[in-house]
Amino acid sequence: MFRRNRADREFRDAQRAGQALLAMHAEWPETPVPAAGPTPAAPTDATVLPDFLPPEFRAPTRQDVSGFMMRWDLPLVIDGEVHSCHCGAYRNWTVFNMRDGSVWLRCPAGHETNEPRLDTAWYNRNSGPVDRFHPTLEDGLRHLGR
């Protein structure tokens, strides 16, 4: 009897921790809109504005992350049909859920296409919890084993 209560309590604690993690990452921060005010004077040739780092060396911010991704190793069935790429691939997809609500598919050969029959609700029903954020697409694909 006590083992079952302890297991139930541990399960509930794990559920609460997972829900807190999802709630923390559920909302994307909006890009701040600059307030209308006096426009700054344009720099003249005499004033040189220092650039802290070139763009390729800057650390990415959360605004640079444009969506979520997951693996889909089984054949992808949409509206009763097995979805296939024009190269013939029909399994081992990488599924991207973008901020605008669109879902994109990437085959193992690297071909990407928008799939209008899938949406964010489908992605949320079929994906697991977010385990980490990746600053670049290549890092995310490497994490997924692609």
Side-chain angles (χ1 to χ4, degrees):
M1 178 174 140
F2 292 110
R3 284 187 192 174
R4 188 165 142 187
N5 289 340
R6 186 176 337 136
D8 288 345
R9 185 174 49 251
E10 290 172 358
F11 179 73
R12 284 191 306 272
D13 291 343
Q15 276 186 323
R16 285 188 198 109
Q19 288 172 351
L21 181 66
L22 286 175
M24 183 172 62
H25 296 294
E27 293 295 322
W28 286 96
E30 295 296 323
T31 306
V33 178
T39 58
T44 63
D45 294 333
T47 60
V48 176
L49 297 175
D51 191 9
F52 180 66
L53 285 175
E56 61 270 9
F57 293 121
R58 292 184 188 149
T61 62
R62 286 196 54 167
Q63 285 81 10
D64 295 335
V65 179
S66 60
F68 295 104
M69 66 175 75
M70 72 171 175
R71 291 176 64 144
W72 190 273
D73 293 329
L74 300 173
L76 184 60
V77 179
I78 304 172
D79 294 337
E81 298 178 6
V82 175
H83 181 76
S84 63
C85 183
H86 62 82
C87 67
Y90 65 94
R91 59 175 60 217
N92 298 328
W93 297 98
T94 304
V95 182
F96 299 97
N97 182 23
M98 308 308 277
R99 270 199 228 180
D100 61 0
S102 63
V103 175
W104 287 72
L105 303 174
R106 179 183 172 116
C107 76
H111 304 122
E112 296 177 358
T113 182
N114 182 13
E115 182 51 60
R117 297 176 290 178
L118 301 179
D119 58 356
T120 301
W122 176 89
Y123 184 89
N124 289 338
R125 282 191 308 268
N126 293 289
S127 68
V130 176
D131 58 349
R132 59 190 292 200
F133 286 96
H134 306 283
T136 64
L137 174 65
E138 291 78 22
D139 289 341
L141 293 173
R142 192 174 313 114
H143 175 70
L144 293 177
R146 305 290 186 189

